[in-house]
Amino acid sequence: ALIGLLTGAISFGQLSTEQKVADFRHLAGLYAKQYAPYEWKLAVQRFDLLDLGGWLERVRATRDDLDFYDLMIEYVARLNDAHDVYTLPSSFSASLGFTVDIYDGKVLVDSISRTRLPASEYPFQIGDELISVDGRDVESLIAELSKYSTAANPRSTRRAAAGRITTRPQSRIPRAIEVG
């Protein structure tokens, strides 16, 4: 019975390379069969969702499941279509306890949870500008988080990516669990 338990525990490991390739091909196949604006996206954005060569190489190179899921998100994000996202079945969300948005080109605080961040200990306020997080400037964070926030136009994508700086749901950002 102990051997059965140990074998069962081992089976909950990472996806194999073959499983990742099969899952990626399945996702790409769904788009190949059901994504109506394929020709338009190819002509306007020069993204050929049917050209899987480079993608499959990248799938095979993923180090773990989270890298693989991140790649799946990137594939769907390349459509630059606000109606299409790849999500994970996770309810985990990392949050700093405040939110931001872009106003007049600046990333500003627009809400604060004072139960999590009492003003006596965190004296910033709504309207303050967010400059950096963990030593990284907001512009580089927005660029990095844009693939998780595709909204089909640059302005909306930037605003959604700015919001991801302070709130990162794992359903949309696989490595949200690694935020310090």
Side-chain angles (χ1 to χ4, degrees), residues 95-127:
S95 172
L96 293 177
F98 66 97
T99 62
V100 296
D101 201 345
I102 299 176
Y103 299 91
D104 297 326
K106 295 180 180 181
V107 178
L108 304 180
V109 174
D110 65 356
S111 76
I112 304 169
S113 170
R114 287 299 179 195
T115 55
R116 286 186 60 196
L117 305 171
S120 60
E121 295 177 51
Y122 302 91
F124 67 96
Q125 58 190 339
I126 292 173

Side-chain angles (χ1 to χ4, degrees), residues 15-35:
L15 293 169
S16 70
T17 300
E18 294 78 22
Q19 289 170 316
K20 292 177 194 177
V21 168
D23 284 356
F24 187 85
R25 285 186 184 276
H26 177 73
L27 175 69
L30 289 172
Y31 277 98
K33 291 178 184 175
Q34 299 178 8
Y35 192 68

Side-chain angles (χ1 to χ4, degrees), residues 66-145:
L66 296 181
D67 275 353
F68 171 66
Y69 296 138
D70 203 58
L71 187 64
M72 298 281 270
I73 288 169
E74 183 180 338
Y75 175 79
V76 174
R78 285 292 311 274
L79 296 169
N80 196 29
D81 188 332
H83 300 97
D84 285 270
V85 296
Y86 183 88
T87 61
L88 302 176
S90 173
S91 60
F92 175 80
S93 184
S95 172
L96 293 177
F98 66 97
T99 62
V100 296
D101 201 345
I102 299 176
Y103 299 91
D104 297 326
K106 295 180 180 181
V107 178
L108 304 180
V109 174
D110 65 356
S111 76
I112 304 169
S113 170
R114 287 299 179 195
T115 55
R116 286 186 60 196
L117 305 171
S120 60
E121 295 177 51
Y122 302 91
F124 67 96
Q125 58 190 339
I126 292 173
D128 284 353
E129 183 176 3
L130 182 64
I131 304 296
S132 67
V133 175
D134 291 334
R136 297 198 49 212
D137 68 279
V138 294
E139 287 304 319
S140 66
L141 289 167
I142 288 171
E144 177 184 317
L145 297 168

